[in-house]
Amino acid sequence: MKRRHAPLNLGMRFHGPLRFGRRWRGHERVLRIGQMILFICLAVAVSRLVADAITLGAGALGRMLS
Protein backbone atom coordinates (compact mmCIF):
# COMPACT_ATOMS: atom_id res chain seq x y z
CA MET A 1 0.00 0.00 0.00
CA LYS A 2 1.44 3.33 -1.05
CA ARG A 3 1.62 6.05 1.58
CA ARG A 4 0.77 9.61 0.66
CA HIS A 5 2.16 12.64 2.40
CA ALA A 6 -0.30 15.21 3.68
CA PRO A 7 -0.05 18.61 2.00
CA LEU A 8 1.92 21.21 3.92
CA ASN A 9 -0.97 23.67 4.23
CA LEU A 10 -3.10 20.96 5.91
CA GLY A 11 -0.39 20.39 8.53
CA MET A 12 -0.12 24.10 9.20
CA ARG A 13 -3.87 24.51 9.63
CA PHE A 14 -4.22 22.08 12.56
CA HIS A 15 -1.65 23.90 14.68
CA GLY A 16 -3.13 27.34 14.19
CA PRO A 17 -5.65 28.92 16.56
CA LEU A 18 -9.27 28.02 16.03
CA ARG A 19 -11.26 30.80 14.44
CA PHE A 20 -14.84 31.81 14.95
CA GLY A 21 -17.21 31.92 12.01
CA ARG A 22 -17.59 34.73 9.49
CA ARG A 23 -20.46 36.22 11.47
CA TRP A 24 -18.22 36.90 14.50
CA ARG A 25 -15.11 37.97 12.56
CA GLY A 26 -14.88 41.49 14.00
CA HIS A 27 -15.54 40.38 17.56
CA GLU A 28 -12.84 37.73 18.00
CA ARG A 29 -10.91 39.62 20.66
CA VAL A 30 -14.02 40.16 22.82
CA LEU A 31 -15.03 36.52 22.42
CA ARG A 32 -11.53 35.33 23.35
CA ILE A 33 -11.58 37.49 26.48
CA GLY A 34 -15.00 36.06 27.35
CA GLN A 35 -13.65 32.55 26.87
CA MET A 36 -10.70 33.31 29.15
CA ILE A 37 -13.00 34.70 31.86
CA LEU A 38 -15.23 31.62 31.67
CA PHE A 39 -12.18 29.36 31.77
CA ILE A 40 -10.83 31.11 34.87
CA CYS A 41 -14.23 30.90 36.62
CA LEU A 42 -14.44 27.20 35.80
CA ALA A 43 -10.90 26.62 37.07
CA VAL A 44 -11.68 28.40 40.35
CA ALA A 45 -14.90 26.40 40.85
CA VAL A 46 -13.19 23.08 40.13
CA SER A 47 -10.23 23.90 42.38
CA ARG A 48 -12.65 24.69 45.22
CA LEU A 49 -14.40 21.35 44.71
CA VAL A 50 -11.09 19.49 44.72
CA ALA A 51 -9.93 21.33 47.85
CA ASP A 52 -13.20 20.51 49.63
CA ALA A 53 -12.92 16.86 48.61
CA ILE A 54 -9.36 16.66 49.93
CA THR A 55 -10.37 18.34 53.18
CA LEU A 56 -13.34 16.03 53.69
CA GLY A 57 -11.26 12.97 52.82
CA ALA A 58 -8.50 13.94 55.23
CA GLY A 59 -11.06 14.59 57.97
CA ALA A 60 -12.71 11.22 57.41
CA LEU A 61 -9.34 9.48 57.41
CA GLY A 62 -8.38 11.29 60.62
CA ARG A 63 -11.61 10.25 62.34
CA MET A 64 -11.12 6.68 61.17
CA LEU A 65 -7.57 6.48 62.54
CA SER A 66 -8.25 8.15 65.90
Side-chain angles (χ1 to χ4, degrees), residues 2-66:
K2 189 175 181 181
R3 290 186 184 192
R4 291 188 223 163
H5 294 289
L8 289 177
N9 60 353
L10 184 62
M12 298 292 282
R13 191 174 356 170
F14 287 129
H15 298 292
L18 295 176
R19 297 258 178 220
F20 293 103
R22 185 178 302 168
R23 179 179 175 193
W24 301 100
R25 190 170 302 273
H27 306 288
E28 274 194 44
R29 185 176 300 249
V30 175
L31 293 171
R32 294 285 178 198
I33 291 171
Q35 276 183 337
M36 185 58 69
I37 290 170
L38 287 174
F39 180 73
I40 291 171
C41 291
L42 182 65
V44 168
V46 169
S47 65
R48 285 182 181 172
L49 287 174
V50 169
D52 287 341
I54 290 172
T55 304
L56 288 173
L61 187 61
R63 283 191 302 275
M64 219 170 32
L65 295 175
S66 63

